[in-house]
Amino acid sequence: MVRQLTVSDIVALSLVQEALPEVVSPATADRPVRWVHVSELEELSALLKGGELILTTGIGIGHTDAEQRDYLRNLDRAGAAGLVIELGRQFDQPPRGLARAAEELAFPLVVLHRPLRFVALTEAVHARIIDEQVERLSFSERVHRTFSELAVETTGTEQILHQGRLLAGAPLVLEDLGHRVIAYELGDASAAQVLDQWERRSRAAGDGVSMPLGNERWTTSLVGPRRNPWGRLVLLGGTLDDDAARTLLERTAQALTVARLVERERRGEEHRTHAGLLAELLAGRAIDGPDLRTRASAAGLTTTGPYLPLTLVPTRGRPTGTSPASGEAPGSDPAARVRDIVAAQLRAAGRPGLVASTQPGTVTAVLGLNSADEDRLLERLAPAVHERIAAEGEGTTWVIGVGRRASTLAGIGPLLDESGHAAEAAAAQQEHGPGSRPFHRSADVRLRGVLSLLRDDPRLVAFAEAELGPLLAHDAKHHTTLADLLGEFLRHGGNKTELARRSHLSRPALYNRLATIESVLDVDLADAESRVSLHVAALLRELRGARNETG
């Protein structure tokens, strides 16, 4: 694999080993070598361009410690890769001043205890350097050809990362700017090991090239337009040197950027088609027949039914994060991101469907059911959608409403309204607490869900005020909490024993307060209809209070 020759590589050559090399400063012996230069001059820094390994017998390095330090400092300033001294002609031991200067400057210094034919070494090293340059050109051409072919084929993220990993011989990870993993290609590596505590490790690694973190070597490249990148590509380890790794990552990042743009354009066209058809179905303008079925099939709904309606809406006031999804600019439409997630999960499940954002803040979908697998499909699809929304950093919790299935596509409109009602009711219920269900049907939301939708209706507000207003005024005047006690009483079905236990009141004290409630409201709490009316009013008060707290 492409890797630049280093001082350590040269010391490891058999002809050098025969000369009994001693590496005086081993911690710095991995410097890359561009060329080998033989010289006995006292001052040769003006002849160097950087990256040269100097071979000498020591004639020009000086005899005093000061002269030797100056000699080495000049080499270091000129960018030399290292110094190799053959002992026996000028020095029998490593020159003391030179050795101290090498340690101070972290400069590679090697001494040879036996003679070495410098010509043979230069020939061997230069042949290796030329081979490395040829290999680098070949690698660059291979990278160029691979990603040019991928661009023509409009390949997706997974295939691009796969080809990049094959070329790199090491794991590749694509993350967003918040250091969350978007996609990866690990080869034989373990995901549990490579991705463990990823965000912490990624933040510590920073944005540099070949940033060491513990025993890890990271090479990175930003992904996306230069002025507005949306991700970062990380190469973990491997045998490529910095230049080769940078070349590979830059081409991989370019391919990912183009793939994202192509996919976004394709999704835009697909969405327009789906949105137009769904708008007709919602409005009830579609007429069942060959024309509608052909249009649906062309849009991807390749089934003859039955059909299942879904609606996704965000909960209000329940943020789960603040960063936009990867690849999207701040302020972009969250519904568009969720729409794309639903469409992607349908494709992954091999399920035909129409998906569109039919109105602001809402995603609507119609799924084709090829058999009676509705529950099994929803149990797989809904958790996958929620997981992907959370993984992509979407800032709001979304709920999924499910309507009844329709036997014909033209009859799906009213059932889409039903799924929308279920979603809106469930979202309203979740404003003051997270939900546990991955999806909701109309039967799941019940009275609380209906009241959640209608809680701001002036008629219901007036009803609740008429039912509870006198008791609330009494509480305000006497600094009591009888309205809350009434709510607990109704919530426990009028069970006074349970209420006394939960409220930590004695039975006489509880009976006295309930009697006060009956007197203030002029009702009989033993009457079933009175309890129903009061319970509806108490639920409305609770729901409106939760909205005010979260809003």
Side-chain angles (χ1 to χ4, degrees):
M1 190 58 71
V2 179
R3 188 175 67 84
Q4 195 165 0
L5 203 63
T6 66
V7 175
S8 295
D9 295 328
I10 295 174
V11 172
L13 293 175
S14 60
L15 63 93
V16 177
Q17 288 296 308
E18 292 173 0
L20 300 180
E22 176 188 347
V23 182
V24 178
S25 50
T28 61
D30 59 350
R31 285 197 186 184
V33 176
R34 184 184 60 82
W35 204 246
V36 175
H37 190 73
V38 181
S39 175
E40 302 295 352
L41 296 177
E42 294 180 8
E43 172 53 56
L44 71 155
S45 57
L47 305 177
L48 304 181
K49 294 182 178 180
E52 295 90 351
L53 179 65
I54 308 302
L55 307 181
T56 182
T57 61
I59 295 175
I61 69 172
H63 294 282
T64 67
D65 289 357
E67 290 173 339
Q68 293 170 5
R69 283 197 298 270
D70 290 341
Y71 175 84
L72 204 66
R73 287 195 182 101
N74 289 334
L75 291 185
D76 187 51
R77 278 196 292 267
L83 177 65
V84 177
I85 300 178
E86 182 187 286
L87 300 179
R89 297 190 184 183
Q90 293 295 115
F91 300 95
D92 294 327
Q93 297 294 329
R96 186 178 58 185
L98 211 63
R100 290 178 179 175
E103 291 183 5
E104 292 172 3
L105 299 171
F107 187 87
L109 173 62
V110 180
V111 296
L112 305 176
H113 292 274
R114 286 183 181 176
L116 172 66
R117 292 179 62 239
F118 285 170
V119 172
L121 178 59
T122 57
E123 288 178 348
V125 172
H126 292 167
R128 288 277 298 271
I129 290 173
I130 292 172
D131 287 344
E132 179 267 322
Q133 291 174 344
V134 171
E135 185 180 3
R136 188 178 300 279
L137 289 173
S138 176
F139 176 77
S140 180
E141 190 276 333
R142 207 158 60 244
V143 169
H144 174 75
R145 183 178 64 253
T146 298
F147 287 105
S148 295
E149 292 172 355
L150 290 177
V152 172
E153 297 170 2
T154 61
T155 310
T157 298
E158 292 77 11
Q159 184 62 18
I160 292 172
L161 290 179
H162 176 70
Q163 292 298 324
R165 184 197 63 78
L166 290 178
L167 289 165
L172 274 177
V173 178
L174 176 63
E175 63 176 14
D176 65 17
L177 298 183
H179 302 278
R180 294 178 178 176
V181 175
I182 300 173
Y184 50 83
E185 176 64 38
L186 307 181
D188 296 331
S190 165
Q193 182 177 3
V194 173
L195 303 180
D196 181 45
Q197 301 184 58
W198 177 264
E199 183 175 342
R200 179 190 65 80
R201 290 159 54 215
S202 180
R203 290 185 185 280
D207 295 322
V209 174
S210 294
M211 173 69 72
L213 182 64
N215 61 350
E216 293 179 319
R217 173 177 171 267
W218 286 45
T219 313
T220 68
S221 177
L222 291 175
V223 183
R226 181 175 300 177
R227 294 185 178 180
N228 188 30
W230 50 261
R232 192 173 74 146
L233 190 60
V234 180
L235 173 63
L236 290 162
T239 58
L240 295 178
D241 65 16
D242 290 352
D243 290 338
R246 189 181 299 111
T247 297
L248 173 61
L249 286 185
E250 287 176 354
R251 287 307 308 270
T252 308
Q254 290 169 6
L256 290 169
T257 301
V258 172
R260 176 64 66 95
L261 293 173
V262 171
E263 176 64 16
R264 185 177 298 172
E265 180 63 25
R266 187 194 64 77
R267 290 199 307 254
E269 294 293 337
E270 180 182 88
H271 175 249
R272 282 188 283 273
T273 302
H274 287 202
L277 189 52
L278 283 170
E280 288 187 39
L281 295 173
L282 280 166
R285 298 195 305 268
I287 301 174
D288 195 36
D291 179 70
L292 178 60
R293 288 193 292 272
T294 300
R295 291 172 58 204
S297 178
L301 193 57
T302 54
T303 179
T304 57
Y307 305 96
L308 186 67
L310 300 181
T311 301
L312 289 85
V313 298
T315 58
R316 296 181 290 270
R318 295 294 302 173
T320 60
T322 57
S323 60
S326 59
E328 302 289 348
S332 58
D333 183 11
R337 299 197 293 272
V338 173
R339 173 199 74 209
D340 293 341
I341 289 171
V342 174
Q345 292 303 319
L346 286 177
R347 287 194 296 270
R351 181 66 53 176
L354 303 175
V355 186
S357 179
T358 53
Q359 56 182 328
T362 302
V363 175
T364 303
V366 174
L367 282 59
L369 297 176
N370 296 323
S371 59
D373 62 349
E374 178 180 327
D375 290 338
R376 188 164 63 252
L377 169 63
L378 290 172
E379 287 167 2
R380 292 198 317 268
L381 179 66
V385 168
H386 288 305
E387 181 180 350
R388 197 63 223 166
I389 289 174
E392 293 200 7
E394 168 55 42
T396 304
T397 301
W398 287 66
V399 297
I400 301 175
V402 182
R404 291 168 295 165
R405 65 172 64 184
S407 57
T408 65
L409 190 56
I412 199 72
L415 302 178
L416 281 168
D417 289 337
E418 181 180 304
S419 68
H421 163 76
E424 287 286 352
Q429 285 182 268
Q430 290 185 26
E431 287 184 19
H432 58 286
S436 58
R437 293 175 177 265
F439 60 89
H440 303 264
R441 302 181 189 273
S442 294
D444 299 330
V445 297
R446 310 191 72 185
L447 177 61
R448 181 182 288 270
V450 174
L451 294 178
S452 297
L453 290 175
L454 302 177
R455 65 188 174 190
D456 292 324
D457 187 299
R459 292 166 295 184
L460 280 179
V461 173
F463 162 76
E465 181 62 26
E467 290 288 318
L468 296 177
L471 187 61
L472 294 171
H474 180 277
D475 279 346
K477 181 178 180 180
H478 298 282
H479 304 288
T480 56
T481 57
L482 295 179
D484 292 337
L485 181 66
L486 174 61
E488 288 295 316
F489 172 77
L490 297 169
R491 196 164 14 254
H492 292 93
N495 188 326
K496 297 178 182 179
T497 302
E498 177 66 15
L499 180 61
R501 185 182 69 83
R502 287 181 172 270
S503 59
H504 306 290
L505 294 172
S506 66
R507 293 177 71 87
L510 175 63
Y511 291 163
N512 182 60
R513 295 185 186 186
L514 291 177
T516 302
I517 292 172
E518 289 180 318
S519 174
V520 171
L521 294 180
D522 192 20
V523 296
D524 180 5
L525 292 180
D527 179 66
E529 185 172 339
S530 293
R531 288 207 305 271
V532 169
S533 293
L534 289 170
H535 198 183
V536 170
L539 280 175
L540 278 169
R541 174 174 176 261
E542 176 187 329
L543 292 168
R544 287 175 60 78
R547 189 272 311 279
N548 292 334
E549 290 172 8
T550 58

